[in-house]
Amino acid sequence: MALDRPFPISLAVQPSNRGVGASATAKDAKIVNAYLDQDPATGEWWAVKRPALVKIGPTASGGQGIGSWQTVAYVVANNTLYQYASAFNTFTSIGSMTNLNSKLTRILSWNAPTKGWLVAWSADAAYLYQSSISQISGANFPSSGVKGMAFLDGTLYVLDTFGNIAGSAINDPTDWTDTTNVVTNWTTEDNPTGLARFGNYIVSFMTHTMDVYYDAGNPTGSPLSIIQSAHQAVGLSYVSTLQQIGDELFWLGSGVRGEVGVYSLGIDLSLKKISTPPIERLLSRVVSYTLASVSSANALVGYSAMFAGHVCYVLGMTGLTGAYSGPASAAITVLYDTVTNKWYQWTWWDGTPFAFVGSTSELYKHSDGSYSQESLFLHPQDGEVYILNEDTYTDDEGQFAVDIVTPNIDAGTRFIKGSGALDLVGSQQEGSLAYLRWSDDDYQTWMEFLPMDLAMDLASLPGIGSFRKRAFHVHQSGNYPFRVKRLDLYTELGTR
């Protein structure tokens, strides 16, 4: 019995791996080096090739952190602070921050009416920069290590290894003499993991719990008071995964039972788990490896990526002192699209994790003299800074590929289906080829790739044989845009 119309197979897939770790992506649906757009007129979803990674300037080997202060981007690399000049796309060395000890560094800024400060901190030390660089110290500043730092209402706060929150003098982050300016951790015996300023709040994270504070203007001691009703039994696994995007805060965390997930906090303090079970399975080996590892050679990092009207939370493993050296099962980078609420997997041109130590948003000067707001990404090993260039589709290091794998398709029945033609429905592109293959045995073996000419009005393959169930794999590379929405399968139902 022939179907009266082709059977549509959407290419706007989501990760649906049934296994754990990066190796689990060998089976089931996935979307690699692409993102999803929805047509507002028709509601149809399109899979679109990601922009290319393009270098804009070197700093020094050993990238540690990147951030912005007073609309200027700053980078810490090889324990040195650099300033980015967007008018020239250059980086200038400012000075040394030796005691950061080449560790992953977070950069935050405080813009005040008359003064402003940049703060760069690692687990070992913290530095201030205004017109010169100075290391933070004082009786009220922890000597046993830094778990997190944040500004609120003129005070710089630091979370110590015991979960206490100490504060600087108001409007003077160089003054740490008042030892009464401390919020003592009485609420939990959990391990402290991070601190963040979010809206008008300070959020203190432990491994399995979190608390929210506000500036109560207390006349003595710390200005902060706790909001008891905002306590949550969800914590932060790694401070390096904390990232604010718009009016949401994102991180990798776990609950009191140890279940790991990706969470977001809304400006109204509403907590939401945004990871799906397949994403959590992909990340499970990342988390277990990071928890077990005592090496600082690799880190799990969260940051943002802005491109083509989308803003994503990016989460993945990266090597700090050299190429990523952990197990292959932990070598993965996933993105959560805050615009579409979809998940993707991205890689470098050679298939290794799309991994940086952080990002910031900054003006970038294009070759024609125009400017645009772009995400700047810092590479950990060579200290190079990259942007996502929407005008090209080849990374500076080499050609990357888009891979879209569908779930097993059976057209609603396991009857044998005799297939006629198969069409790839997408945008025409002169000179570009896509390649298609399929598996009829649950992703265990695959046919050879067959080319489909995207310059044609209809990219099509003739009869592709009979099957009960079939998974399709669409592959495209080359310096061309790529935008597809579905496969149209012309099939005829046979017998059982």
Side-chain angles (χ1 to χ4, degrees):
M1 178 183 68
L3 299 180
D4 61 356
R5 66 186 65 184
F7 182 79
I9 302 169
S10 174
L11 295 176
V13 302
Q14 285 291 272
S16 62
N17 48 284
R18 68 196 86 167
V20 299
S23 57
T25 60
K27 278 193 171 187
D28 301 307
K30 62 180 177 181
I31 178 169
V32 181
N33 288 327
Y35 60 94
L36 299 182
D37 256 341
Q38 188 174 31
D39 188 321
T42 65
E44 291 184 297
W45 287 93
W46 291 78
V48 185
K49 189 175 187 176
R50 72 161 172 85
L53 284 165
V54 176
K55 295 179 184 178
I56 65 169
T59 53
S61 60
Q64 295 165 251
I66 186 169
S68 294
W69 174 50
Q70 295 183 335
T71 70
V72 177
Y74 289 82
V75 164
V76 175
N78 196 25
N79 297 321
T80 301
L81 182 67
Y82 292 83
Q83 184 184 61
Y84 171 61
S86 60
F88 306 101
N89 288 337
T90 58
F91 290 85
T92 303
S93 172
I94 294 174
S96 176
M97 295 180 167
T98 305
N99 291 331
L100 293 174
N101 292 333
S102 299
K103 292 188 176 179
L104 196 66
T105 298
R106 307 285 279 186
I107 294 177
L108 56 102
S109 61
W110 173 36
N111 297 318
T114 57
K115 279 188 176 181
W117 302 87
L118 176 143
V119 179
W121 65 271
S122 73
D124 290 348
Y127 285 84
L128 290 167
Y129 171 68
Q130 192 179 66
S131 57
S132 61
I133 295 172
S134 60
Q135 186 173 348
I136 298 177
S137 63
N140 202 35
F141 194 82
S143 59
S144 59
V146 177
K147 289 294 185 178
M149 300 190 75
F151 277 114
L152 180 65
D153 295 342
T155 299
L156 178 59
Y157 294 99
V158 59
L159 180 69
D160 68 17
T161 56
F162 301 101
N164 304 315
I165 305 173
S168 71
I170 293 180
N171 296 326
D172 189 357
T174 67
D175 184 351
W176 293 82
T177 57
D178 183 2
T179 56
T180 68
N181 187 353
V182 176
V183 175
T184 303
N185 174 30
W186 300 110
T187 61
T188 177
E189 296 178 355
D190 214 351
N191 295 318
T193 53
L195 197 71
R197 187 259 179 91
F198 184 55
N200 293 321
Y201 306 106
I202 291 290
V203 186
S204 175
F205 290 93
M206 304 292 170
T207 306
H208 302 299
T209 59
M210 56 180 282
D211 285 294
V212 180
Y213 298 84
Y214 71 104
D215 185 350
N218 300 319
T220 60
S222 173
L224 298 179
S225 290
I226 195 169
I227 303 176
Q228 297 285 357
S229 60
H231 176 82
Q232 296 279 4
V234 169
L236 168 70
S237 299
Y238 314 98
V239 67
S240 53
T241 67
L242 267 175
Q243 178 67 47
Q244 182 171 344
I245 300 175
D247 58 0
E248 287 186 280
L249 188 65
F250 296 86
W251 71 93
L252 182 78
S254 62
V256 292
R257 294 177 296 181
E259 65 279 15
V260 173
V262 183
Y263 294 86
S264 71
L265 187 68
I267 201 67
D268 59 353
L269 302 183
S270 58
L271 182 69
K272 181 170 61 175
K273 190 177 188 179
I274 60 173
S275 53
T276 63
I279 291 296
E280 289 160 17
R281 287 193 287 270
L282 288 179
L283 293 173
S284 64
R285 294 294 173 86
V286 177
V287 175
S288 59
Y289 161 68
T290 309
L291 288 174
S293 174
V294 295
S295 169
S296 62
N298 304 304
L300 180 60
V301 183
Y303 48 95
S304 64
M306 178 178 63
F307 58 91
H310 295 254
V311 184
C312 291
Y313 173 63
V314 188
L315 184 64
M317 289 295 295
T318 185
L320 298 179
T321 57
Y324 170 74
S325 57
S329 60
I332 196 164
T333 300
V334 294
L335 294 82
Y336 173 74
D337 193 328
T338 65
V339 175
T340 63
N341 299 319
K342 303 293 186 181
W343 284 93
Y344 322 123
Q345 180 188 346
W346 283 12
T347 71
W348 281 92
W349 66 277
D350 60 358
T352 57
F354 179 97
F356 297 92
V357 294
S359 68
T360 193
S361 178
E362 187 53 78
L363 281 175
Y364 169 70
K365 184 179 181 181
H366 296 271
S367 58
D368 63 0
S370 65
Y371 287 83
S372 63
Q373 197 76 16
E374 302 288 350
S375 289
L376 275 58
F377 305 91
L378 178 63
H379 193 271
Q381 287 100 52
D382 57 19
E384 295 278 2
V385 176
Y386 293 74
I387 65 165
L388 286 169
N389 189 330
E390 297 170 26
D391 297 325
T392 185
Y393 299 92
T394 300
D395 291 344
D396 271 1
E397 284 79 8
Q399 181 61 61
F400 69 92
V402 173
D403 290 286
I404 302 171
V405 178
T406 72
N408 279 314
I409 304 299
D410 63 6
T413 176
R414 286 298 168 97
F415 279 23
I416 294 174
K417 287 160 280 291
S419 180
L422 180 75
D423 300 335
L424 176 59
V425 182
S427 298
Q428 281 184 261
Q429 180 59 51
E430 188 69 33
S432 180
L433 293 175
Y435 294 85
L436 182 85
R437 65 177 184 172
W438 57 84
S439 171
D440 293 347
D441 57 3
D442 200 24
Y443 307 93
Q444 296 180 69
T445 60
W446 292 87
M447 297 289 291
E448 294 295 321
F449 276 114
L450 298 174
M452 304 185 77
D453 189 352
L454 297 176
M456 304 296 291
D457 179 55
L458 186 63
S460 184
L461 291 174
I464 58 171
S466 61
F467 62 94
R468 293 187 186 274
K469 66 180 187 302
R470 178 167 287 178
F472 295 93
H473 178 183
V474 178
H475 173 90
Q476 191 270 347
S477 63
N479 192 19
Y480 301 98
F482 181 60
R483 181 173 175 265
V484 292
K485 59 182 176 181
R486 70 176 187 271
L487 297 169
D488 279 345
L489 176 65
Y490 295 82
T491 188
E492 183 173 301
L493 294 181
T495 63
R496 185 176 179 188

